[in-house]
């Protein structure tokens, strides 16, 4: 069985699509038990992770959705090569940006518009080939790099780049997402720890990691 | 029911300054502002070249009892004539300013509001959220020196240098957050300390030209009085009020809107209010204002706010000790305070409207600094007895017996003191008194406008810094000496 070495920006869905399988098939494969144990979340891989690939097999028939006789059935089929994007947007005061119009500009030119739900969540299906986008809600603007969120544990930078990205996503200031625990990262950690009622150390401890994961959502 | 993966949280980006930097500050009409520059230039005097006549009088006063004048610094800027006259004694000595530090916080607040108004104009920003975002981006951008920026040495020992807008102390930038490990009491000091809590300061419905401080126009007797721990007499006084009968429910000062805290900090000298205000403002912008205004210079020091203005307990570690001497977390010089007060009086700081507001906050009517100012429009007076007021006043301003025979106005008591207790129409005083409770050293910064003989109107700014509790009477004597000196140098020929 061959393996794919993850590069920065790659996600399981993209790897799976490139090899003609679903992300679930890769994730659940016995050969990837070690990956599952290390990463827990299939959406968060780290550059260098090895993903075992299945042997190529016969083409599978596409499933057909059963149609009821006496009801209108809406069949929604995901576009091949899409991945889900789910973001909960909050303002400076921590309140969700609920029921607000948003604009999403994907790299490559496609533009979309929609409305956040009652919890401030944006849900979109984004082509696998797109790894960058700009999201705007009112005066707020985010530059998104899709698939670039690193894990918080078992990484060669001690989870720092993963923490940096999450801290930034949570509105704290980090000079760069580069895996280096510099002063701005330490300060952002202190701020997060103070805000969460944790011991303020400026260091990445197990409790801080757990809280970061919880607050960030991944 | 939501489908798909659990969402990741994305908070509105809020760039936060990490280092102390020198930001852009402006004075004048937001439509055509000019950069804030050292105030003495706009006031038209050179503090290093005191007026010979005025200085000679102060020197004579000091020389009469030199041993008493080794600690207290004082300065006067006489604005009565066409040319300002400046004089001082130990006027560049760095001292702990006590509650005159609250005057410093007030300056920072109005400067911030004005700078935002200017930014809104410069970049045509009509939305407050967008203005806040842009301001934060610019504050953070100042941390990265322009390519090729040279290192400018500001002071050799201790080493203070700047690279573009970034200031370095001992070769390193100064962080805007505490180093201390958080405890249950102090973990809040880590919050917002470097950043400006614009959302807490400004009214979201207020627009951008200028932004409006949040306010509920709370009267002073809505204070949650037992926060006022340092003053037993005052607690006792407040306890006599029947707040329910007045229809008032006290609120902790932390719950008060920004403008109301500001008014209480100045008019009442409330001690928790500046802690909250300084936290909202962040220490960077306040100190950056002082540097731009020449109220702090690396070679002489000046106004420095390096602390969250606690009352008790003192924090285990402060943000930053004053750089030139490294002894005080909050510092001032008589020269800087006097200059700043004069600038507020002459509309030379921020803009005229802001200066009017600051003067109104400092306007003193009957009673001492912890009492509400008598508002000329409303005539509101606090329900204190004269005896209560006298007891406090005398503890601070007891004039020595040898001055007792002099006429009121000056001699027995300074105009500053007189204005604090007597409803005089011929004297207007704007001031901020400071009393360090343990020990009860005293400082004051004031502006006096009064009628003198011959129909002259005399105007002068005064700062008296750090009168030792052991020699309380010196405050009155210094103030009286200044009053007399100003009178004499302005006497008709």
């Amino acid at each position: 069985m061959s393996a794919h070495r993850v590069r920065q920006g790659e996600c399981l869905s993209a790897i799976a699509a490139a090899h003609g399988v679903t992300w679930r098939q890769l994730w659940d494969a016995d050969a990837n038990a070690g990956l599952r144990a290390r990463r827990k979340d299939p959406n968060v891989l780290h550059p260098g992770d090895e993903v075992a690939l299945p042997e190529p097999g016969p083409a599978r028939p596409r499933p057909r959705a059963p149609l009821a006789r006496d009801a209108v059935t809406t069949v929604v089929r995901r576009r091949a090569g899409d991945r889900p994007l789910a973001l909960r947007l909050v303002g400076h005061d921590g309140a969700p940006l609920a029921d607000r119009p948003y604009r999403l500009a994907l790299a490559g030119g496609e533009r979309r518009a929609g409305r956040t739900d009652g919890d401030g969540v944006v849900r979109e299906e984004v082509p696998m080939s797109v790894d960058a986008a700009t999201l705007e809600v009112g005066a707020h603007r985010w530059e998104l790099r899709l698939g670039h969120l690193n894990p918080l544990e078992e990484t060669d930078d001690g989870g720092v780049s993963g923490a940096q990205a999450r801290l930034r996503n949570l509105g704290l200031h980090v000079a760069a997402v580069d895996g280096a625990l510099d002063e701005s990262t330490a300060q952002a950690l202190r701020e997060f720890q103070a805000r969460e009622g944790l011991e303020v150390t400026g260091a990445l401890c197990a409790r801080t990691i757990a809280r970061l994961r919880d607050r960030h959502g991944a | 029911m939501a489908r798909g993966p659990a969402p990741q949280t994305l908070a509105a980006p809020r760039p936060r300054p990490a280092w102390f930097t020198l930001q852009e500050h402006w004075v004048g009409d937001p439509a055509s502002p000019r950069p804030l520059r050292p105030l003495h230039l706009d006031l038209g005097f050179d503090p290093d070249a005191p007026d010979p006549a005025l200085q000679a009088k102060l020197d004579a006063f000091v020389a009469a009892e030199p041993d008493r004048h080794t600690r207290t610094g004082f300065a006067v800027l006489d604005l009565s004539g066409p040319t300002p006259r400046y004089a001082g004694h130990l006027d560049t000595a760095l001292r702990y300013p006590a509650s005159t530090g609250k005057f410093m916080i007030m300056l920072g607040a109005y400067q911030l509001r004005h700078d935002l108004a200017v930014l809104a104009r410069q970049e045509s920003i009509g939305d407050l959220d967008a203005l806040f975002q842009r301001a934060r981006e610019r504050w953070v951008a100042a941390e990265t020196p322009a390519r090729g920026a040279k290192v400018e040495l500001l002071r050799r020992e201790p080493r203070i240098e700047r690279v573009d807008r970034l200031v370095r102390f001992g070769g390193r930038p100064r962080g805007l957050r505490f180093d201390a490990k958080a405890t249950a009491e102090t973990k809040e000091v880590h919050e917002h300390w470097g950043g400006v809590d614009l959302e807490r300061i400004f009214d979201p419905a207020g627009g951008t030209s200028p932004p409006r401080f949040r306010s509920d126009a709370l009267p002073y007797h809505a204070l949650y009085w037992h926060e006022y721990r340092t003053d037993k007499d005052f607690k006792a006084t407040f306890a006599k009020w029947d707040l329910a009968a007045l229809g008032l429910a006290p609120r902790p000062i932390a719950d008060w809107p920004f403008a109301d805290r500001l008014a209480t900090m100045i008019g009442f000298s409330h001690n928790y209010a500046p802690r909250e205000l300084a936290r909202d403002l962040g220490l960077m912008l306040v100190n950056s204002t002082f540097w731009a205004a020449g109220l702090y210079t690396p070679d002489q020091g000046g106004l420095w706010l390096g602390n969250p203005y606690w009352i008790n307990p003192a924090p285990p570690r402060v943000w930053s000790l004053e750089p030139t001497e490294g002894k005080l977390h909050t510092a001032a010089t008589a020269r800087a305070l006097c200059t700043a007060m004069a600038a507020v009086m002459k509309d030379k700081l921020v803009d005229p409207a802001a200066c009017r507001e600051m003067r109104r906050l400092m306007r003193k009517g009957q009673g001492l600094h912890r009492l509400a100012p008598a508002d000329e429009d409303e005539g509101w007076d606090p329900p204190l007895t004269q005896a209560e007021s006298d007891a406090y006043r005398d503890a601070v301003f007891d004039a020595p017996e040898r001055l007792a025979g002099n006429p009121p106005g000056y001699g027995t008591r300074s105009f500053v003191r007189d204005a604090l207790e007597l409803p005089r129409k011929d004297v207007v005083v704007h001031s901020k008194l400071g009393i360090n409770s343990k020990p009860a050293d005293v400082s004051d910064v004031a502006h006096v406008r009064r009628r003198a003989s011959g129909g002259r109107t005399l105007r002068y700014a005064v700062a008296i810094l750090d009168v030792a509790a052991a020699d309380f009477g010196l405050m009155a004597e210094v103030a009286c000496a200044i009053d007399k000196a100003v009178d004499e140098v302005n006497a008709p020929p």
Side-chain angles (χ1 to χ4, degrees):
Chain A
M1 179 177 273
S2 58
H4 175 87
R5 183 178 285 272
V6 175
R7 293 189 296 270
Q8 184 70 54
E10 285 188 326
C11 64
L12 200 62
S13 298
I15 297 167
H19 291 85
V21 295
T22 67
W23 73 267
R24 176 61 77 181
Q25 286 170 315
L26 280 185
W27 187 248
D28 289 347
D30 291 341
N32 283 318
L35 180 69
R36 286 198 301 277
R38 199 165 53 254
R39 290 299 167 225
K40 306 285 191 298
D41 185 342
N43 293 309
V44 186
L45 301 181
H46 193 255
D49 285 348
E50 298 262 344
V51 179
L53 300 172
E55 296 297 333
R60 301 174 192 229
R62 295 169 75 184
R64 295 170 63 86
L67 297 175
R69 286 180 185 279
D70 54 358
V72 174
T73 300
T74 303
V75 178
V76 177
R77 184 163 291 149
R78 229 162 112 180
R79 288 190 299 185
D82 279 2
R83 62 174 147 194
L85 179 69
L87 300 169
R88 186 176 75 96
L89 308 181
V90 299
H92 292 313
D93 56 358
L97 298 175
D99 197 32
R100 301 274 291 268
Y102 67 80
R103 293 175 303 281
L104 182 67
L106 306 180
E110 185 184 349
R111 285 186 173 17
R112 301 184 187 175
R115 220 169 170 88
T116 61
D117 68 13
D119 295 318
V121 177
V122 169
R123 289 188 189 276
E124 291 276 350
E125 298 285 334
V126 174
M128 207 72 69
S129 57
V130 171
D131 67 351
T134 302
L135 177 64
E136 292 177 337
V137 176
H140 303 302
R141 180 189 169 95
W142 294 270
E143 298 292 339
L144 307 178
R145 297 187 69 204
L146 308 177
H148 283 250
L149 185 70
N150 285 344
L152 287 162
E153 288 149 315
E154 305 236 12
T155 67
D156 51 14
D157 64 3
V160 172
S161 59
Q164 288 170 326
R166 286 167 178 80
L167 290 166
R168 256 195 190 174
N169 287 348
L170 293 173
L172 296 162
H173 175 66
V174 172
V177 178
D178 58 5
L181 188 53
D182 60 358
E183 183 54 32
S184 80
T185 304
Q187 287 180 341
L189 279 168
R190 281 196 283 267
E191 211 173 310
F192 176 76
Q193 289 162 337
R195 188 197 289 181
E196 294 290 325
L198 302 171
E199 189 184 11
V200 178
T201 61
L204 205 51
C205 61
R207 199 175 270 190
T208 300
I209 287 172
R211 189 67 62 86
L212 255 181
R213 186 182 288 119
D214 179 64
R215 289 286 178 254
H216 183 262
Chain B
M1 190 169 72
R3 301 173 288 111
Q8 294 179 15
T9 299
L10 212 55
R14 191 184 214 178
R16 289 284 305 276
W19 313 118
F20 176 60
T21 49
L22 302 176
Q23 300 291 338
E24 288 182 320
H25 302 289
W26 305 92
V27 290
D29 186 344
S32 55
R34 52 183 179 74
L36 175 61
R37 63 173 186 167
L39 291 170
H40 67 269
L41 297 174
D42 289 338
L43 288 165
F45 78 103
D46 181 356
D48 291 321
D51 178 79
L54 191 58
Q55 187 67 54
K57 293 190 182 298
L58 296 188
D59 289 344
F61 167 69
V62 169
E65 291 178 299
D67 290 345
R68 290 181 79 195
H69 296 287
T70 59
R71 169 174 164 167
T72 303
F74 53 88
V76 54
L77 183 62
D78 177 14
L79 303 162
S80 307
T83 306
R85 303 182 215 241
Y86 177 80
H89 171 72
L90 294 180
D91 58 326
T92 58
L94 278 162
R95 296 285 182 260
Y96 178 63
S99 290
T100 55
K102 296 164 183 168
F103 170 72
M104 291 156 52
I105 294 171
M106 178 182 69
L107 299 180
Y110 281 95
Q111 188 64 56
L112 166 65
R113 187 181 75 175
H114 189 65
D115 291 339
L116 288 176
V118 168
L119 177 61
R121 273 273 193 167
Q122 286 174 339
E123 300 198 7
S124 302
I125 304 173
D127 175 78
L128 205 59
D129 274 348
L131 178 61
F132 292 167
Q133 180 73 9
R134 188 72 190 109
R136 289 182 167 118
E137 288 169 359
R138 290 184 63 151
W139 294 331
V140 169
E143 295 177 351
T144 305
R147 184 172 294 204
K150 294 191 170 19
V151 177
E152 183 188 347
L153 182 64
L154 303 177
R155 181 174 171 133
R156 198 168 291 280
E157 183 58 43
R159 189 174 182 85
I160 302 175
E161 59 195 19
R162 65 180 283 183
V163 187
D164 198 359
R165 294 186 175 280
L166 182 67
V167 182
R168 298 205 294 229
F169 303 88
R172 295 170 57 183
R174 182 154 291 182
L176 296 176
R177 291 169 183 79
F178 281 70
D179 297 328
K181 226 174 169 182
T183 65
E185 289 85 22
T186 60
K187 71 178 171 74
E188 65 179 286
V189 308
H190 294 268
E191 296 171 7
H192 305 294
W193 208 248
V196 187
D197 198 339
L198 296 167
E199 289 75 12
R200 197 166 177 232
I201 296 172
F202 294 106
D203 182 349
T208 60
S209 300
R212 193 166 63 213
F213 293 141
R214 287 181 182 265
S215 175
D216 288 343
L218 292 172
Y220 294 162
H221 39 271
L223 273 173
Y224 199 49
W225 62 264
H226 67 256
E227 285 182 323
Y228 214 72
R229 298 176 190 167
T230 59
D231 190 334
K232 279 187 267 186
D233 292 335
F234 212 75
K235 260 175 68 173
T237 301
F238 253 123
K240 295 174 197 167
W241 292 5
D242 186 350
L243 295 174
L246 289 168
L248 292 169
R251 285 163 58 175
I253 198 71
D255 292 347
W256 284 38
F258 188 87
D260 301 340
R261 277 184 270 133
L262 193 59
T264 301
M265 175 183 73
I266 294 295
F268 222 76
S269 207
H270 197 280
N271 280 328
Y272 273 163
R275 183 177 79 180
E276 300 289 326
L277 289 163
R279 188 173 69 175
D280 291 347
L281 290 168
L283 300 181
M284 179 190 70
L285 287 179
V286 178
N287 286 296
S288 171
T289 299
F290 299 154
W291 283 56
L295 298 174
Y296 187 91
T297 61
D299 49 321
Q300 286 184 350
L303 305 188
W304 178 265
L305 192 71
N307 191 49
Y309 208 100
W310 296 94
I311 42 171
N312 276 309
R317 225 166 286 168
V318 299
W319 167 58
S320 180
L321 295 174
E322 188 279 325
T324 63
E325 291 188 6
K327 293 177 188 159
L328 297 168
H329 53 73
T330 302
T333 61
R335 172 182 290 193
L337 279 176
C338 179
T339 303
M341 177 61 83
V344 172
M345 293 305 142
K346 296 283 278 183
D347 292 346
K348 297 294 185 187
L349 196 56
V350 190
D351 68 1
C355 287
R356 275 196 297 278
E357 286 185 42
M358 287 191 271
R359 291 196 295 266
R360 188 174 180 283
L361 290 178
M362 290 189 288
R363 172 77 172 91
K364 282 299 176 291
Q366 194 164 355
L368 277 179
H369 76 121
R370 284 203 176 119
L371 307 175
D375 190 312
E376 287 160 332
D377 296 329
E378 297 168 22
W380 187 84
D381 281 328
L384 280 187
T385 67
Q386 190 61 48
E388 286 162 342
S389 175
D390 286 351
Y392 203 92
R393 175 210 64 210
D394 289 343
V396 175
F397 283 129
D398 252 351
E401 282 182 9
R402 62 169 177 258
L403 298 179
N406 292 345
Y410 67 85
T412 49
R413 299 173 295 201
S414 162
F415 287 112
V416 174
R417 183 185 178 186
D418 271 356
L420 293 178
E421 61 174 295
L422 296 175
R424 297 179 63 144
K425 287 191 167 50
D426 58 341
V427 183
V428 173
V429 177
H430 301 82
S431 70
K432 184 68 202 77
L433 183 72
I435 302 176
N436 190 15
S437 60
K438 284 180 181 152
D441 310 321
V442 183
S443 297
D444 197 4
V445 58
H447 174 267
V448 180
R449 189 175 80 231
R450 63 180 171 97
R451 283 205 179 284
S453 59
R456 295 168 298 139
T457 296
L458 302 181
R459 300 184 61 173
Y460 46 104
V462 174
I464 305 170
L465 212 49
D466 200 29
V467 175
D471 192 6
F472 254 158
L474 188 62
M475 167 65 89
E477 291 184 51
V478 169
C480 292
I482 290 173
D483 294 340
K484 191 172 175 209
V486 170
D487 222 31
E488 288 173 355
V489 298
N490 285 287

